[in-house]
């Protein structure tokens, strides 16, 4: 087997027991979304792309035709992002949006391969203050983001690429669980 694929395969085997957590998140998120709540998602770089992938699956569809659900990738509004960074600093770009868009009972999914990104940590802190449920998908634990969030799935991958690839598989698992619960 190719070395890259072998790393991915090995890491997927290590997170198989966390599928129960992600499926539980899906059930909870289905309840939040069907009651009119929303999902906020954030991350940097590849994790931002994965946050946007997740929100697209919920606003559009994953497998089944269904009504669209409120899901916002916090990095995708370039004007807000740059205005907040300019006026308040890069660490505030997600936290300020969580305070603006998050309502008690909503969910914030934080994606970070390191679990140490200051702006993602600030978003999780803002979620806690706003009564927004904060979940994290991170790289190896322990890390500050996993400790700050209400729940976390930590991927024990040695390389960023492997962690991101596993995060994508877990995002699809989450979408599957949401649609099953609906």
């Amino acid at each position: 087997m190719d070395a890259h694929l072998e790393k991915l395969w090995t890491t997927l085997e290590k997170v198989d027991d966390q599928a129960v957590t992600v499926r539980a998140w899906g059930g909870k998120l289905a309840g939040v979304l069907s009651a009119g709540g929303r999902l906020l998602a954030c991350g940097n770089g590849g994790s931002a792309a994965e946050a946007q992938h997740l929100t697209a699956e919920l606003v559009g569809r994953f497998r089944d035709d269904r009504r669209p659900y409120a899901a916002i990738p916090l990095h995708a509004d370039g004007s807000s992002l740059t205005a907040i960074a300019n006026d308040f600093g890069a660490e505030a770009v997600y936290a300020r949006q969580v305070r603006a868009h998050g309502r008690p009972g909503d969910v914030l999914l934080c994606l970070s391969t390191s679990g140490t990104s200051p702006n993602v940590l600030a978003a999780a802190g803002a979620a806690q203050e706003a009564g927004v449920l904060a979940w994290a998908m991170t790289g190896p634990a322990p890390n500050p983001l996993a400790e700050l969030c209400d729940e976390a799935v930590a991927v024990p991958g040695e390389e960023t690429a492997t962690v991101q690839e596993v995060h994508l598989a877990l995002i699809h698992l989450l979408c599957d669980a949401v649609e099953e619960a609906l």
Side-chain angles (χ1 to χ4, degrees), residues 4 46-47 50 113-114 157-167:
H4 179 83
S47 295
E50 291 189 346
T113 58
S114 68
E158 296 175 15
E159 296 180 6
T160 297
T162 303
V163 172
Q164 289 174 335
E165 289 163 346
V166 173
H167 281 176

Side-chain angles (χ1 to χ4, degrees), residues 166 168 179:
V166 173
L168 183 56
E179 288 192 354

Side-chain angles (χ1 to χ4, degrees), residues 40-44 72-75 80-81 84-85 88-103 108-110 117-132 134 145 148:
L40 308 176
C42 67
N44 296 305
I72 304 168
L74 298 180
H75 71 281
S80 290
L81 196 72
I84 295 166
F88 300 97
E91 288 186 21
V93 296
Y94 296 140
R96 192 154 179 92
Q97 290 182 78
V98 168
R99 290 183 188 103
H101 300 300
R103 304 290 180 264
L108 170 69
L109 180 61
C110 300
S117 301
N119 58 356
V120 178
L121 288 167
Q128 299 289 338
E129 295 166 7
V132 171
L145 184 60
L148 182 59

Side-chain angles (χ1 to χ4, degrees), residues 14-41:
K14 291 177 183 176
V15 299
D16 185 52
D17 62 332
Q18 296 189 61
V20 172
T21 299
V22 176
R23 287 209 172 272
W25 289 359
K28 171 71 175 170
L29 184 57
V32 168
L33 295 173
S34 65
R38 65 189 67 128
L39 171 73
L40 308 176

